[in-house]
Amino acid sequence: MKDQIIDLKGEMSLLTVLVLYSTDMHAIGAALEAKGQQASHFLERSPIILDCQLLGEAGLALDFVELKLQVSKLGFVPVGLRNLWVDAEAKALEAGWALLRPSKQQPVANTPAVTEVNLTPVSPEAVQRLLVLDRPVRSGQQVYCPQGDIVVLQHTSAGSELLAGGSVHVYGALRGRVLAGVQGDTQARIFCERLEAELIAIAGRYRLLDEIESNLKGQSVMIYLDQEKLKIVPI
Amino acid sequence: MSRIVVVTSGKGGVGKTTTSAAFATGLALKGYKTAVIDFDVGLRNLDLIMGCERRVVYDFINVISGEANIKQALIKDKRSDNLFILPASQTRDKDSLTQEGVEQVLKDLSEDGFDFIICDSPAGIERGAALAMHFADDAIIVTNPEVSSVRDSDRILGLLQSRTLKAERGESIREHLLITRYSPTRVASGDMLAMEDILEILAVPLIGVIPESGSVLQASNSGVPVILDKESTAGQAYDDFVRRFLGETVPHRFLEVEKKGLFKRLFGG
Protein backbone atom coordinates (compact mmCIF):
# COMPACT_ATOMS: atom_id res chain seq x y z
CA MET A 1 0.00 0.00 0.00
CA LYS A 2 3.02 2.28 -0.18
CA ASP A 3 1.97 3.66 -3.55
CA GLN A 4 -1.20 5.07 -2.15
CA ILE A 5 -1.38 8.86 -2.16
CA ILE A 6 -4.78 9.57 -0.71
CA ASP A 7 -7.67 7.80 0.90
CA LEU A 8 -11.26 8.97 0.99
CA LYS A 9 -13.12 8.05 4.16
CA GLY A 10 -16.53 8.83 5.55
CA GLU A 11 -16.16 10.12 9.09
CA MET A 12 -18.20 11.79 11.78
CA SER A 13 -16.61 14.87 13.28
CA LEU A 14 -17.71 17.32 15.89
CA LEU A 15 -18.53 20.66 14.31
CA THR A 16 -20.03 23.86 15.53
CA VAL A 17 -23.49 24.50 14.16
CA LEU A 18 -24.77 28.02 13.61
CA VAL A 19 -28.54 28.08 13.61
CA LEU A 20 -30.01 30.93 11.59
CA TYR A 21 -33.19 32.58 12.77
CA SER A 22 -33.15 35.46 10.33
CA THR A 23 -32.13 36.27 6.75
CA ASP A 24 -31.23 39.87 7.57
CA MET A 25 -27.51 40.10 6.73
CA HIS A 26 -26.95 43.21 8.86
CA ALA A 27 -28.46 41.59 11.91
CA ILE A 28 -26.54 38.37 11.36
CA GLY A 29 -23.29 40.29 10.91
CA ALA A 30 -23.84 42.26 14.11
CA ALA A 31 -24.80 39.18 16.11
CA LEU A 32 -21.76 37.28 14.85
CA GLU A 33 -19.51 40.11 15.81
CA ALA A 34 -20.95 40.21 19.31
CA LYS A 35 -20.40 36.47 19.70
CA GLY A 36 -16.89 36.86 18.34
CA GLN A 37 -15.97 39.35 21.04
CA GLN A 38 -17.20 36.98 23.72
CA ALA A 39 -15.39 33.95 22.42
CA SER A 40 -12.81 34.86 19.84
CA HIS A 41 -10.17 32.26 20.70
CA PHE A 42 -12.68 29.54 20.80
CA LEU A 43 -14.00 30.23 17.33
CA GLU A 44 -10.77 30.83 15.51
CA ARG A 45 -10.42 28.62 12.46
CA SER A 46 -13.08 26.24 13.67
CA PRO A 47 -15.16 24.66 10.91
CA ILE A 48 -18.81 25.56 11.02
CA ILE A 49 -22.09 24.34 9.57
CA LEU A 50 -25.03 26.69 9.06
CA ASP A 51 -28.46 25.29 9.76
CA CYS A 52 -31.38 26.87 7.85
CA GLN A 53 -34.15 24.65 9.21
CA LEU A 54 -35.90 27.43 11.10
CA LEU A 55 -35.89 29.75 8.09
CA GLY A 56 -38.01 27.48 5.93
CA GLU A 57 -39.07 29.16 2.72
CA ALA A 58 -37.49 32.43 3.89
CA GLY A 59 -34.14 30.77 3.14
CA LEU A 60 -34.71 31.95 -0.44
CA ALA A 61 -33.98 35.50 0.69
CA LEU A 62 -30.48 34.69 1.99
CA ASP A 63 -27.54 36.44 0.38
CA PHE A 64 -25.21 33.46 0.21
CA VAL A 65 -22.13 35.34 -0.96
CA GLU A 66 -22.44 37.87 1.86
CA LEU A 67 -23.16 35.10 4.37
CA LYS A 68 -19.93 33.31 3.51
CA LEU A 69 -18.04 36.56 3.86
CA GLN A 70 -19.54 37.37 7.26
CA VAL A 71 -18.81 33.95 8.67
CA SER A 72 -15.23 33.87 7.34
CA LYS A 73 -14.57 37.39 8.63
CA LEU A 74 -15.08 36.15 12.15
CA GLY A 75 -12.51 33.40 11.73
CA PHE A 76 -14.80 30.47 11.01
CA VAL A 77 -14.17 28.08 8.17
CA PRO A 78 -17.59 27.62 6.53
CA VAL A 79 -18.19 23.97 5.71
CA GLY A 80 -21.67 24.00 4.33
CA LEU A 81 -25.38 24.56 4.71
CA ARG A 82 -27.96 22.12 5.85
CA ASN A 83 -31.75 21.98 5.96
CA LEU A 84 -31.92 24.66 3.31
CA TRP A 85 -35.19 25.28 1.43
CA VAL A 86 -34.97 23.22 -1.79
CA ASP A 87 -35.52 26.11 -4.19
CA ALA A 88 -32.63 28.05 -2.65
CA GLU A 89 -30.11 25.24 -3.16
CA ALA A 90 -29.02 26.27 -6.67
CA LYS A 91 -28.24 29.78 -5.50
CA ALA A 92 -26.23 28.46 -2.56
CA LEU A 93 -24.20 26.11 -4.75
CA GLU A 94 -23.48 28.97 -7.09
CA ALA A 95 -22.07 30.98 -4.20
CA GLY A 96 -19.70 28.11 -3.43
CA TRP A 97 -21.51 26.51 -0.46
CA ALA A 98 -21.62 22.80 0.07
CA LEU A 99 -24.99 21.27 0.91
CA LEU A 100 -25.09 18.77 3.74
CA ARG A 101 -27.60 16.11 4.48
CA PRO A 102 -29.89 17.04 7.35
CA SER A 103 -28.72 15.81 10.73
CA LYS A 104 -30.81 13.48 12.81
CA GLN A 105 -30.72 15.88 15.70
CA GLN A 106 -32.87 18.56 14.16
CA PRO A 107 -33.45 21.70 16.15
CA VAL A 108 -36.78 21.95 17.85
CA ALA A 109 -39.09 23.99 15.66
CA ASN A 110 -40.73 25.92 18.49
CA THR A 111 -37.51 27.41 19.83
CA PRO A 112 -38.35 31.01 20.55
CA ALA A 113 -36.69 33.32 18.06
CA VAL A 114 -35.32 35.69 20.67
CA THR A 115 -31.81 35.97 19.37
CA GLU A 116 -30.87 36.22 15.75
CA VAL A 117 -27.91 33.86 15.94
CA ASN A 118 -27.48 30.96 18.28
CA LEU A 119 -24.00 29.55 18.77
CA THR A 120 -23.56 26.16 20.37
CA PRO A 121 -20.08 26.25 22.00
CA VAL A 122 -19.58 27.86 25.37
CA SER A 123 -17.33 30.82 25.90
CA PRO A 124 -13.80 30.13 27.26
CA GLU A 125 -14.67 31.55 30.69
CA ALA A 126 -17.25 28.81 31.11
CA VAL A 127 -14.75 25.97 30.55
CA GLN A 128 -14.41 24.01 33.78
CA ARG A 129 -10.78 23.70 34.89
CA LEU A 130 -11.49 21.88 38.13
CA LEU A 131 -14.26 19.64 39.34
CA VAL A 132 -14.35 18.87 43.08
CA LEU A 133 -16.66 16.14 44.36
CA ASP A 134 -17.29 15.79 48.08
CA ARG A 135 -19.45 12.67 47.85
CA PRO A 136 -18.47 9.12 46.88
CA VAL A 137 -18.68 8.37 43.17
CA ARG A 138 -21.06 5.42 43.01
CA SER A 139 -21.25 2.42 40.74
CA GLY A 140 -22.80 3.42 37.42
CA GLN A 141 -21.94 7.10 37.81
CA GLN A 142 -19.77 8.75 35.23
CA VAL A 143 -18.00 12.00 35.96
CA TYR A 144 -16.59 13.88 33.00
CA CYS A 145 -14.53 17.04 33.10
CA PRO A 146 -13.35 17.44 29.49
CA GLN A 147 -10.97 20.36 29.98
CA GLY A 148 -9.85 20.12 33.59
CA ASP A 149 -8.91 18.10 36.66
CA ILE A 150 -11.17 16.00 38.85
CA VAL A 151 -10.70 15.89 42.62
CA VAL A 152 -12.74 13.36 44.62
CA LEU A 153 -12.67 13.86 48.39
CA GLN A 154 -14.17 10.40 49.03
CA HIS A 155 -13.83 6.98 47.48
CA THR A 156 -14.97 5.87 44.04
CA SER A 157 -16.86 2.61 43.66
CA ALA A 158 -16.35 -0.37 41.42
CA GLY A 159 -18.32 0.27 38.25
CA SER A 160 -17.87 4.05 38.34
CA GLU A 161 -15.95 6.07 35.79
CA LEU A 162 -13.89 9.24 36.07
CA LEU A 163 -12.90 10.97 32.84
CA ALA A 164 -10.74 14.08 32.93
CA GLY A 165 -9.01 16.13 30.29
CA GLY A 166 -6.40 16.83 32.97
CA SER A 167 -5.36 14.94 36.11
CA VAL A 168 -7.39 13.00 38.65
CA HIS A 169 -6.97 13.03 42.44
CA VAL A 170 -8.87 10.64 44.69
CA TYR A 171 -8.58 11.11 48.45
CA GLY A 172 -9.90 7.67 49.33
CA ALA A 173 -10.07 4.26 47.71
CA LEU A 174 -10.06 4.33 43.92
CA ARG A 175 -12.12 1.33 42.87
CA GLY A 176 -13.71 2.17 39.52
CA ARG A 177 -12.22 3.11 36.19
CA VAL A 178 -10.20 6.25 35.87
CA LEU A 179 -9.13 7.91 32.64
CA ALA A 180 -6.94 11.02 32.76
CA GLY A 181 -5.80 13.11 29.82
CA VAL A 182 -8.73 11.93 27.72
CA GLN A 183 -8.11 14.67 25.13
CA GLY A 184 -4.58 13.36 24.65
CA ASP A 185 -2.70 15.23 27.38
CA THR A 186 0.28 12.96 28.16
CA GLN A 187 1.27 15.18 31.10
CA ALA A 188 -1.90 14.26 33.01
CA ARG A 189 -1.47 12.17 36.16
CA ILE A 190 -3.58 10.10 38.52
CA PHE A 191 -3.18 10.26 42.30
CA CYS A 192 -5.05 8.15 44.80
CA GLU A 193 -4.92 7.17 48.44
CA ARG A 194 -5.71 3.50 47.83
CA LEU A 195 -5.28 1.88 44.45
CA GLU A 196 -8.02 -0.70 43.90
CA ALA A 197 -9.02 0.48 40.43
CA GLU A 198 -10.45 -1.72 37.70
CA LEU A 199 -8.77 0.20 34.92
CA ILE A 200 -6.39 3.13 34.74
CA ALA A 201 -5.61 5.16 31.63
CA ILE A 202 -3.66 8.26 30.68
CA ALA A 203 -3.99 9.75 27.21
CA GLY A 204 -5.35 6.52 25.84
CA ARG A 205 -2.71 4.15 27.30
CA TYR A 206 -4.50 1.88 29.70
CA ARG A 207 -3.87 -0.95 32.14
CA LEU A 208 -6.13 -3.30 34.04
CA LEU A 209 -5.65 -3.86 37.75
CA ASP A 210 -5.02 -7.54 37.10
CA GLU A 211 -1.82 -6.58 35.33
CA ILE A 212 -0.65 -4.35 38.14
CA GLU A 213 1.97 -5.70 40.52
CA SER A 214 0.08 -6.86 43.58
CA ASN A 215 2.37 -5.01 45.97
CA LEU A 216 0.95 -1.73 44.68
CA LYS A 217 -2.67 -2.68 45.26
CA GLY A 218 -4.17 -0.80 48.17
CA GLN A 219 -1.22 1.62 48.24
CA SER A 220 -1.11 5.39 47.90
CA VAL A 221 0.20 5.87 44.39
CA MET A 222 0.88 8.29 41.60
CA ILE A 223 0.40 7.15 38.05
CA TYR A 224 2.01 8.91 35.11
CA LEU A 225 3.04 8.32 31.55
CA ASP A 226 6.73 7.67 30.91
CA GLN A 227 7.19 7.63 27.13
CA GLU A 228 4.54 5.09 26.16
CA LYS A 229 4.39 3.24 29.46
CA LEU A 230 2.12 3.80 32.44
CA LYS A 231 4.25 4.05 35.58
CA ILE A 232 2.79 3.48 39.03
CA VAL A 233 4.87 4.68 41.96
CA PRO A 234 4.04 4.70 45.68
CA ILE A 235 3.72 8.12 47.33
CA MET B 1 -46.44 17.15 55.71
CA SER B 2 -45.88 13.44 55.48
CA ARG B 3 -42.37 12.05 55.57
CA ILE B 4 -41.88 9.90 52.49
CA VAL B 5 -39.52 6.95 52.86
CA VAL B 6 -38.48 4.66 50.02
CA VAL B 7 -37.33 1.12 50.77
CA THR B 8 -35.02 0.19 47.92
CA SER B 9 -32.05 -2.03 47.00
CA GLY B 10 -31.50 -2.51 43.30
CA LYS B 11 -31.18 -6.25 43.67
CA GLY B 12 -34.23 -8.47 44.04
CA GLY B 13 -34.93 -10.86 46.88
CA VAL B 14 -32.94 -9.05 49.54
CA GLY B 15 -35.92 -8.22 51.76
CA LYS B 16 -37.42 -4.93 50.58
CA THR B 17 -41.03 -5.99 50.96
CA THR B 18 -40.38 -7.80 54.25
CA THR B 19 -38.70 -4.63 55.50
CA SER B 20 -41.46 -2.34 54.20
CA ALA B 21 -44.10 -4.44 55.97
CA ALA B 22 -42.16 -4.60 59.23
CA PHE B 23 -41.20 -0.93 59.10
CA ALA B 24 -44.72 0.34 58.39
CA THR B 25 -46.20 -1.91 61.07
CA GLY B 26 -43.57 -0.78 63.57
CA LEU B 27 -44.26 2.90 62.91
CA ALA B 28 -48.01 2.37 63.18
CA LEU B 29 -47.63 0.49 66.48
CA LYS B 30 -45.66 3.44 67.83
CA GLY B 31 -48.67 5.64 67.11
CA TYR B 32 -47.83 7.15 63.74
CA LYS B 33 -50.40 7.18 60.98
CA THR B 34 -48.63 5.25 58.25
CA ALA B 35 -49.35 4.26 54.67
CA VAL B 36 -47.33 1.68 52.79
CA ILE B 37 -47.46 1.64 48.98
CA ASP B 38 -46.49 -1.31 46.79
CA PHE B 39 -44.70 0.07 43.71
CA ASP B 40 -44.07 -3.38 42.26
CA VAL B 41 -46.85 -3.15 39.68
CA GLY B 42 -47.41 -6.51 38.03
CA LEU B 43 -45.72 -8.48 40.82
CA ARG B 44 -47.89 -7.65 43.78
CA ASN B 45 -46.43 -9.05 47.03
CA LEU B 46 -46.85 -6.57 49.82
CA ASP B 47 -50.50 -7.47 50.41
CA LEU B 48 -49.48 -11.11 50.88
CA ILE B 49 -46.85 -10.28 53.47
CA MET B 50 -49.26 -7.93 55.23
CA GLY B 51 -51.94 -10.63 55.12
CA CYS B 52 -54.58 -8.57 53.35
CA GLU B 53 -54.56 -10.11 49.86
CA ARG B 54 -58.19 -11.11 50.09
CA ARG B 55 -59.30 -7.57 50.83
CA VAL B 56 -57.91 -5.90 47.71
CA VAL B 57 -60.68 -4.21 45.71
CA TYR B 58 -58.97 -1.25 44.09
CA ASP B 59 -55.26 -0.72 43.66
CA PHE B 60 -52.57 1.94 43.14
CA ILE B 61 -53.05 1.97 39.34
CA ASN B 62 -56.83 2.35 39.70
CA VAL B 63 -56.19 5.47 41.76
CA ILE B 64 -53.62 6.86 39.33
CA SER B 65 -55.91 6.34 36.35
CA GLY B 66 -58.87 7.89 38.19
CA GLU B 67 -60.97 4.71 38.41
CA ALA B 68 -61.05 4.91 42.19
CA ASN B 69 -60.19 7.45 44.84
CA ILE B 70 -57.48 6.97 47.40
CA LYS B 71 -59.94 6.29 50.25
CA GLN B 72 -61.52 3.42 48.31
CA ALA B 73 -58.17 1.83 47.53
CA LEU B 74 -56.49 2.06 50.96
CA ILE B 75 -56.83 -1.13 52.97
CA LYS B 76 -56.94 -0.70 56.71
CA ASP B 77 -54.71 -3.11 58.55
CA LYS B 78 -56.37 -5.66 60.81
CA ARG B 79 -53.86 -5.19 63.60
CA SER B 80 -53.45 -1.44 63.77
CA ASP B 81 -55.82 1.45 63.22
CA ASN B 82 -52.92 3.64 62.13
CA LEU B 83 -51.78 1.44 59.26
CA PHE B 84 -53.04 1.49 55.67
CA ILE B 85 -51.88 -0.48 52.66
CA LEU B 86 -52.09 0.66 49.03
CA PRO B 87 -51.61 -2.51 46.98
CA ALA B 88 -50.09 -2.69 43.51
CA SER B 89 -52.00 -3.90 40.50
CA GLN B 90 -51.27 -7.49 39.50
CA THR B 91 -52.69 -7.24 35.99
CA ARG B 92 -50.99 -4.08 34.74
CA ASP B 93 -47.33 -3.29 34.20
CA LYS B 94 -45.01 -0.59 35.44
CA ASP B 95 -45.65 1.64 32.42
CA SER B 96 -49.03 2.43 33.97
CA LEU B 97 -47.21 4.41 36.66
CA THR B 98 -46.90 8.10 35.84
CA GLN B 99 -44.92 10.70 37.72
CA GLU B 100 -47.95 13.02 37.93
CA GLY B 101 -50.11 10.15 39.17
CA VAL B 102 -47.64 9.16 41.88
CA GLU B 103 -47.23 12.78 42.93
CA GLN B 104 -51.00 13.21 43.23
CA VAL B 105 -51.39 10.06 45.36
CA LEU B 106 -48.59 11.16 47.70
CA LYS B 107 -50.17 14.62 47.95
CA ASP B 108 -53.58 13.15 48.76
CA LEU B 109 -52.07 10.95 51.49
CA SER B 110 -50.16 13.91 52.88
CA GLU B 111 -53.34 15.99 53.05
CA ASP B 112 -55.05 13.07 54.71
CA GLY B 113 -52.72 13.52 57.67
CA PHE B 114 -50.40 10.59 57.25
CA ASP B 115 -47.17 10.91 59.25
CA PHE B 116 -45.21 8.43 57.16
CA ILE B 117 -45.58 7.11 53.64
CA ILE B 118 -43.46 4.02 52.96
CA CYS B 119 -42.76 3.32 49.29
CA ASP B 120 -41.90 -0.34 48.70
CA SER B 121 -39.72 -0.22 45.58
CA PRO B 122 -39.50 -2.99 43.02
CA ALA B 123 -36.08 -4.44 42.19
CA GLY B 124 -34.10 -2.94 39.33
CA ILE B 125 -33.52 0.62 38.30
CA GLU B 126 -36.33 1.02 35.78
CA ARG B 127 -39.52 3.02 35.92
CA GLY B 128 -41.11 1.46 39.02
CA ALA B 129 -37.97 1.85 41.11
CA ALA B 130 -37.29 5.33 39.74
CA LEU B 131 -40.78 6.56 40.65
CA ALA B 132 -40.72 4.90 44.08
CA MET B 133 -37.65 6.95 45.01
CA HIS B 134 -38.46 10.15 43.14
CA PHE B 135 -40.38 12.01 45.85
CA ALA B 136 -38.66 10.47 48.88
CA ASP B 137 -37.26 12.38 51.86
CA ASP B 138 -35.49 9.31 53.28
CA ALA B 139 -34.21 6.12 51.74
CA ILE B 140 -33.72 2.77 53.45
CA ILE B 141 -31.18 0.87 51.38
CA VAL B 142 -31.62 -2.84 51.98
CA THR B 143 -28.46 -4.87 51.42
CA ASN B 144 -27.48 -8.50 51.90
CA PRO B 145 -23.92 -9.33 53.01
CA GLU B 146 -23.02 -10.38 49.50
CA VAL B 147 -20.92 -8.71 46.79
CA SER B 148 -23.56 -8.34 44.08
CA SER B 149 -26.14 -6.95 46.49
CA VAL B 150 -23.65 -4.38 47.79
CA ARG B 151 -22.72 -3.37 44.24
CA ASP B 152 -26.39 -2.87 43.30
CA SER B 153 -26.99 -0.83 46.44
CA ASP B 154 -24.08 1.37 45.47
CA ARG B 155 -25.71 1.92 42.08
CA ILE B 156 -29.00 2.82 43.77
CA LEU B 157 -27.20 5.31 46.03
CA GLY B 158 -25.88 7.01 42.91
CA LEU B 159 -29.39 7.28 41.50
CA LEU B 160 -30.75 8.61 44.80
CA GLN B 161 -28.21 11.41 44.52
CA SER B 162 -29.01 12.28 40.94
CA ARG B 163 -32.51 11.27 39.87
CA THR B 164 -34.72 12.34 42.73
CA LEU B 165 -36.72 15.49 43.30
CA LYS B 166 -34.50 16.40 46.25
CA ALA B 167 -31.40 16.00 44.07
CA GLU B 168 -32.95 18.16 41.34
CA ARG B 169 -33.51 20.85 43.96
CA GLY B 170 -29.90 20.59 45.13
CA GLU B 171 -30.89 18.98 48.43
CA SER B 172 -30.10 15.42 49.40
CA ILE B 173 -32.10 12.45 50.57
CA ARG B 174 -31.30 11.05 54.03
CA GLU B 175 -29.76 7.64 53.39
CA HIS B 176 -29.93 4.76 55.87
CA LEU B 177 -28.31 1.38 55.34
CA LEU B 178 -30.16 -1.72 56.54
CA ILE B 179 -28.29 -5.01 56.30
CA THR B 180 -30.60 -8.01 56.18
CA ARG B 181 -30.05 -11.79 56.29
CA TYR B 182 -26.88 -11.28 58.34
CA SER B 183 -25.42 -14.46 59.70
CA PRO B 184 -22.50 -13.92 62.12
CA THR B 185 -21.57 -17.60 61.80
CA ARG B 186 -21.16 -17.36 58.04
CA VAL B 187 -19.32 -14.06 58.38
CA ALA B 188 -16.90 -15.75 60.76
CA SER B 189 -16.36 -18.59 58.30
CA GLY B 190 -15.74 -16.11 55.49
CA ASP B 191 -18.82 -16.97 53.40
CA MET B 192 -20.41 -13.58 53.93
CA LEU B 193 -19.17 -10.02 53.84
CA ALA B 194 -18.74 -8.56 57.30
CA MET B 195 -20.74 -5.50 58.32
CA GLU B 196 -17.54 -3.41 58.44
CA ASP B 197 -16.69 -4.33 54.83
CA ILE B 198 -20.14 -3.33 53.61
CA LEU B 199 -19.92 -0.01 55.45
CA GLU B 200 -16.47 0.58 53.99
CA ILE B 201 -17.74 0.12 50.44
CA LEU B 202 -21.03 2.00 50.75
CA ALA B 203 -20.07 4.72 53.25
CA VAL B 204 -23.66 5.27 54.38
CA PRO B 205 -24.89 5.50 58.00
CA LEU B 206 -26.04 2.11 59.32
CA ILE B 207 -29.57 2.02 60.74
CA GLY B 208 -29.86 -1.68 61.47
CA VAL B 209 -28.69 -5.24 60.98
CA ILE B 210 -31.37 -7.92 60.70
CA PRO B 211 -30.06 -11.40 61.44
CA GLU B 212 -30.84 -14.34 59.18
CA SER B 213 -33.81 -16.06 60.77
CA GLY B 214 -36.28 -18.75 59.86
CA SER B 215 -39.05 -16.69 61.39
CA VAL B 216 -38.89 -14.24 58.44
CA LEU B 217 -40.03 -16.90 55.98
CA GLN B 218 -42.60 -18.17 58.45
CA ALA B 219 -43.97 -14.67 58.94
CA SER B 220 -44.14 -14.02 55.18
CA ASN B 221 -46.03 -17.21 54.52
CA SER B 222 -48.55 -16.56 57.26
CA GLY B 223 -49.06 -12.90 56.30
CA VAL B 224 -47.89 -11.47 59.61
CA PRO B 225 -45.12 -8.85 59.48
CA VAL B 226 -42.09 -10.30 61.26
CA ILE B 227 -41.82 -7.32 63.62
CA LEU B 228 -44.87 -8.70 65.42
CA ASP B 229 -42.92 -11.86 66.30
CA LYS B 230 -41.36 -10.57 69.53
CA GLU B 231 -39.64 -13.88 70.18
CA SER B 232 -37.58 -13.92 67.01
CA THR B 233 -34.22 -12.16 66.67
CA ALA B 234 -35.31 -10.70 63.30
CA GLY B 235 -38.48 -9.25 64.88
CA GLN B 236 -36.46 -7.66 67.68
CA ALA B 237 -33.89 -6.29 65.25
CA TYR B 238 -36.64 -4.73 63.13
CA ASP B 239 -38.06 -3.11 66.26
CA ASP B 240 -34.62 -1.67 67.07
CA PHE B 241 -34.41 -0.35 63.51
CA VAL B 242 -37.76 1.45 63.76
CA ARG B 243 -36.72 3.02 67.06
CA ARG B 244 -33.44 4.21 65.58
CA PHE B 245 -35.31 5.66 62.61
CA LEU B 246 -37.46 7.64 65.06
CA GLY B 247 -34.34 9.08 66.65
CA GLU B 248 -33.64 6.79 69.61
CA THR B 249 -30.13 5.55 70.29
CA VAL B 250 -30.28 1.78 70.35
CA PRO B 251 -27.14 -0.40 70.34
CA HIS B 252 -26.80 -2.90 67.52
CA ARG B 253 -27.48 -6.51 68.45
CA PHE B 254 -27.05 -9.98 66.93
CA LEU B 255 -23.68 -9.14 65.37
CA GLU B 256 -21.62 -11.81 67.11
CA VAL B 257 -21.77 -15.57 66.89
CA GLU B 258 -24.10 -16.65 69.66
CA LYS B 259 -22.40 -18.85 72.22
CA LYS B 260 -24.60 -21.77 72.99
CA GLY B 261 -25.22 -22.17 76.68
CA LEU B 262 -25.35 -25.53 78.45
CA PHE B 263 -29.14 -25.63 78.21
CA LYS B 264 -29.12 -25.00 74.47
CA ARG B 265 -26.32 -27.46 73.90
CA LEU B 266 -28.28 -30.15 75.67
CA PHE B 267 -31.65 -29.52 74.13
CA GLY B 268 -30.78 -27.85 70.83
CA GLY B 269 -32.03 -24.40 69.88
Side-chain angles (χ1 to χ4, degrees):
Chain A
M1 296 296 274
K2 264 187 181 169
D3 297 337
Q4 191 167 5
I5 310 297
I6 57 163
D7 199 359
L8 203 58
K9 283 181 175 174
E11 199 188 270
M12 302 284 290
S13 303
L14 279 176
L15 293 176
T16 305
V17 177
L18 183 78
V19 182
L20 294 179
Y21 291 83
S22 160
T23 56
D24 181 347
M25 275 309 141
H26 276 295
I28 293 175
L32 276 170
E33 209 159 302
K35 281 281 176 196
Q37 278 163 6
Q38 276 174 29
S40 54
H41 299 295
F42 211 74
L43 305 178
E44 220 162 307
R45 288 208 305 273
S46 67
I48 192 166
I49 293 174
L50 275 67
D51 191 303
C52 307
Q53 163 103 6
L54 297 175
L55 298 177
E57 203 174 345
L60 277 167
L62 277 171
D63 182 343
F64 292 102
V65 180
E66 178 64 21
L67 187 60
K68 199 164 189 176
L69 217 74
Q70 292 279 9
V71 173
S72 310
K73 204 170 81 185
L74 202 80
F76 281 117
V77 180
V79 174
L81 296 168
R82 73 176 187 201
N83 299 321
L84 183 63
W85 191 256
V86 176
D87 298 337
E89 286 184 350
K91 235 174 102 185
L93 286 169
E94 207 177 306
W97 283 96
L99 295 175
L100 304 170
R101 276 168 293 171
S103 77
K104 289 202 178 67
Q105 260 188 308
Q106 299 213 342
V108 192
N110 59 8
T111 316
V114 205
T115 48
E116 310 265 17
V117 186
N118 179 19
L119 277 175
T120 337
V122 285
S123 58
E125 300 89 71
V127 169
Q128 192 157 23
R129 295 274 169 223
L130 178 68
L131 179 61
V132 181
L133 303 165
D134 57 359
R135 306 195 69 167
V137 182
R138 303 287 182 183
S139 185
Q141 286 185 325
Q142 191 183 54
V143 180
Y144 186 32
C145 183
Q147 314 276 350
D149 296 349
I150 297 177
V151 176
V152 184
L153 301 175
Q154 302 259 354
H155 72 266
T156 77
S157 293
S160 67
E161 218 168 77
L162 300 178
L163 300 134
S167 298
V168 177
H169 307 251
V170 179
Y171 296 98
L174 170 60
R175 299 201 179 96
R177 294 167 162 233
V178 55
L179 295 89
V182 289
Q183 312 270 23
D185 180 6
T186 52
Q187 303 290 306
R189 291 181 180 212
I190 299 165
F191 305 83
C192 69
E193 244 175 46
R194 255 171 60 201
L195 179 66
E196 289 170 25
E198 296 166 334
L199 179 145
I200 50 170
I202 296 174
R205 282 68 155 187
Y206 72 92
R207 276 173 84 177
L208 297 165
L209 187 72
D210 271 356
E211 301 165 0
I212 295 169
E213 307 77 53
S214 54
N215 61 341
L216 287 168
K217 278 183 198 171
Q219 299 291 310
S220 281
V221 299
M222 170 174 76
I223 303 160
Y224 64 98
L225 206 55
D226 181 16
Q227 310 293 343
E228 284 295 296
K229 252 187 98 73
L230 278 180
K231 285 271 163 87
I232 306 171
V233 291
I235 47 173
Chain B
M1 275 295 279
S2 308
R3 192 158 153 196
I4 303 170
V5 188
V6 61
V7 177
T8 185
S9 72
K11 196 168 157 56
V14 296
K16 284 182 297 296
T17 304
T18 300
T19 298
S20 298
F23 186 29
T25 306
L27 289 169
L29 291 176
K30 300 240 181 315
Y32 297 96
K33 192 177 175 188
T34 307
V36 54
I37 307 177
D38 190 349
F39 273 77
D40 205 348
V41 179
L43 293 166
R44 198 175 89 191
N45 279 167
L46 180 69
D47 51 319
L48 284 172
I49 294 186
M50 297 291 297
C52 63
E53 75 276 13
R54 299 198 181 283
R55 295 161 60 208
V56 176
V57 182
Y58 294 109
D59 59 48
F60 193 16
I61 299 299
N62 291 138
V63 178
I64 284 182
S65 52
E67 294 151 10
N69 66 41
I70 187 83
K71 288 222 164 60
Q72 290 173 298
L74 281 176
I75 304 172
K76 195 162 150 306
D77 187 69
K78 284 178 287 195
R79 294 162 288 254
S80 167
D81 290 343
N82 292 323
L83 182 55
F84 294 82
I85 299 117
L86 184 56
S89 167
Q90 183 72 348
T91 50
R92 309 284 273 274
D93 60 39
K94 292 182 180 67
D95 294 335
S96 319
L97 285 173
T98 61
Q99 187 164 315
E100 298 73 33
V102 172
E103 188 173 16
Q104 189 59 48
V105 167
L106 293 173
K107 212 173 134 226
D108 289 347
L109 289 172
S110 187
E111 282 166 7
D112 229 11
F114 278 92
D115 298 305
F116 291 102
I117 303 170
I118 312 302
C119 302
D120 180 21
S121 171
I125 52 174
E126 318 305 330
R127 191 179 187 81
L131 284 173
M133 71 168 70
H134 190 78
F135 298 98
D137 301 304
D138 292 70
I140 309 290
I141 296 104
V142 183
T143 302
N144 285 171
E146 182 230 331
V147 181
S148 59
S149 172
V150 173
R151 171 77 64 93
D152 292 356
S153 293
D154 195 51
R155 179 87 169 94
I156 284 289
L157 283 162
L159 297 178
L160 286 168
Q161 287 157 17
S162 57
R163 301 272 173 83
T164 53
L165 188 65
K166 285 232 170 211
E168 283 165 15
R169 290 180 177 161
E171 302 163 32
S172 54
I173 286 190
R174 277 182 296 262
E175 299 155 342
H176 315 271
L177 180 68
L178 182 73
I179 302 174
T180 55
R181 309 200 65 170
Y182 196 74
S183 162
T185 323
R186 298 189 64 192
V187 170
S189 66
D191 296 342
M192 272 188 182
L193 286 177
M195 181 189 81
E196 293 78 16
D197 298 336
I198 300 173
L199 287 174
E200 220 267 317
I201 296 172
L202 294 179
V204 173
L206 181 73
I207 195 158
V209 180
I210 312 297
E212 172 85 60
S213 159
S215 56
V216 172
L217 189 65
Q218 237 170 46
S220 294
N221 285 335
S222 54
V224 182
V226 68
I227 197 167
L228 295 170
D229 183 354
K230 303 275 187 230
E231 300 299 309
S232 76
T233 51
Q236 294 168 32
Y238 268 120
D239 192 61
D240 289 357
F241 148 65
V242 173
R243 285 164 56 200
R244 275 184 215 111
F245 184 81
L246 293 171
E248 274 183 59
T249 309
V250 185
H252 290 282
R253 294 194 274 174
F254 317 116
L255 299 177
E256 304 300 328
V257 182
E258 207 182 323
K259 296 211 172 51
K260 282 194 177 179
L262 180 66
F263 187 80
K264 273 199 173 170
R265 254 186 282 175
L266 286 174
F267 299 100

